[in-house]
Amino acid sequence: MLSSENTGVPARTVERLVLYRRLLNGLTEQGVEFIHSHEIAEKANNSAAQVRRDLMAIGYTGNPARGYAVNDLVRSINGLFEQKRDQKAALVGIGKLGRAILGYFALRQARPRIVAAFDSDPAKGQGEFAGCPCYPVDALTSVIARDGITVGILTVPADFAQPVTDLMLVAGVRGILNFAPTPLKTPAWAVVDNVDIATKLEKVAFFC
Amino acid sequence: MLSSENTGVPARTVERLVLYRRLLNGLTEQGVEFIHSHEIAEKANNSAAQVRRDLMAIGYTGNPARGYAVNDLVRSINGLFEQKRDQKAALVGIGKLGRAILGYFALRQARPRIVAAFDSDPAKGQGEFAGCPCYPVDALTSVIARDGITVGILTVPADFAQPVTDLMLVAGVRGILNFAPTPLKTPAWAVVDNVDIATKLEKVAFFC
DNA sequence: GTCTGATTGTGAAATGATTCACAATGTGAA
DNA sequence: TTCACATTGTGAATCATTTCACAATCAGAC
Ligand SMILES: NC(=O)c1ccc[n+]([C@@H]2O[C@H](COP(=O)([O-])OP(=O)(O)OC[C@H]3O[C@@H](n4cnc5c(N)ncnc54)[C@H](O)[C@@H]3O)[C@@H](O)[C@H]2O)c1
Ligand SMILES: NC(=O)c1ccc[n+]([C@@H]2O[C@H](COP(=O)([O-])OP(=O)(O)OC[C@H]3O[C@@H](n4cnc5c(N)ncnc54)[C@H](O)[C@@H]3O)[C@@H](O)[C@H]2O)c1
């Protein structure tokens, strides 16, 4: 589950690189051409050493006196995701959470693009939402296969998380972002990441 | 940020314990009185050794022949959270995501209870939503202090995440679950956990 | 009552992530 | 041109987490 067999870049590092890129965006327009590891660290709430390690992982190399060339660094991080650039995602479960997510990603045109949404409720599984076409779950297999969708976002009730997962994997999905509070049984090649909001909240409460 | 100075129980372990408890709930009603570490592991998608380590962390001890007494174990996990049992939470930013979360927690009566919600939009910052009273942000400091709220859920746009955080911490909040894609600057005593959905999605896409 | 066998509890090893610490480097100042 | 200096890139050390492996244990069979 979520190993780094893929590229050698550790999962934690990938997350931070995405963050760095976000923090650097727009900096050039503000006239900032170069940035030091400790300045990135300051923005990202981590250490300069960690930033340097992370950049090392993608082979990006700075300059001891100037630091990192912002534009170039952003390009370099983008390069990491180049191969996966045109990956498509589907969201299953157009409920309260699903709609919030659909709206968010449609607005930002973030990647991977969500190009289909599914729901078992006939009222929701038609038309479109936030510009994203909606289908009944029965169409899941065929639409995922047809559109070459490789990433799934799971926002169905817990009881349906496993069966929907099974469907998606058969249809061609290889990675799933799971919001249902249920550990999914998947083959080893599948990439799964869980976002368990209730647990996270309880954890925060526990530590304060 | 999110250390385990508190109790000696590591954060990762706390998360898994919450999961185990969820997986065990209702098992007694189904007539299951005892369970083995490898059975819990099977449900939780992890290893028997890890389950045993986690239970060791809370000093719970099973029986080599029978395994763990389900009821007793659940009680034991609950015991961990006993002190924090009546913690209250506030949600700031009654937008799409905020409403989804409010609805979810209201329904489940999950802990910590969300007892107040805030929004800068006058239309949203009044009345109630999902049974939770809504206030304008101006009331944030006083309501948090009045109700003894210690946990904050941040679902405001990125630009407002830091100022709202500052307000909450001054008012008495000690832990924050942050959904805005912004690293928060907080004093060392504050507990912060970030749920960065967009980054997680990109990470999943990257690894498949 | 004793013996058997699966399971627990836990040191110790392995693995993974972060931090340390410093030689190598490039720049701007003199 | 040379020098001084802050910063990079990175092995090595540290710290955290997971897995291994096995002696201790308990229930049930005989
Ligand atoms: N809303 C939250 O803040 C929140 C927090 C934590 C966890 N979650 C989890 O996220 C998931 C969704 O939560 P929600 O609040 O959006 O629930 P919801 O009930 O609003 O939405 C669920 C949607 O899934 C659809 N659905 C049900 N079965 C389906 C199937 N087999 N195939 C396709 N669609 C199906 C329903 O029609 C509904 O539209 C749940 O698993 C929930 O536990 C949500
Ligand atoms: N919706 C998603 O799926 C999603 C995904 C990833 C990240 N996020 C993040 O979560 C946050 C909320 O997202 P959303 O989609 O719900 O946005 P939204 O615009 O629907 O909601 C934001 C809410 O915050 C309120 N607000 C603005 N400034 C405020 C202030 N100073 N004090 C109190 N309330 C204030 C607004 O009135 C609005 O109701 C954003 O930071 C977003 O980046 C959301």
Side-chain angles (χ1 to χ4, degrees), chain A residues 92-98 118-121 124 137 155-158 160 164 179-181 197-198, chain B residues 100-101 104-105 108:
Chain A
V92 189
I94 316 174
K96 281 169 293 196
L97 184 57
F118 303 92
D119 204 291
S120 58
D121 180 345
K124 295 173 185 166
V137 247
T155 51
V156 298
F160 300 101
V164 169
F179 287 87
I197 297 174
Chain B
I101 292 173
Y104 186 79
F105 280 87
R108 312 243 155 186

Side-chain angles (χ1 to χ4, degrees), chain A residues 97 99-105 108, chain B residues 92-99 118-121 124 137 140 154-161 163-164 179-182 195-198:
Chain A
L97 184 57
R99 281 194 297 260
I101 293 173
L102 272 178
Y104 186 80
F105 280 88
R108 315 243 153 184
Chain B
V92 189
I94 315 173
K96 281 170 292 196
L97 185 57
R99 280 194 298 260
F118 302 92
D119 204 291
S120 58
D121 180 344
K124 293 174 185 163
V137 246
L140 192 144
L154 246 196
T155 51
V156 298
D159 291 346
F160 300 102
V164 169
F179 287 87
T182 317
V195 179
D196 190 332
I197 297 174

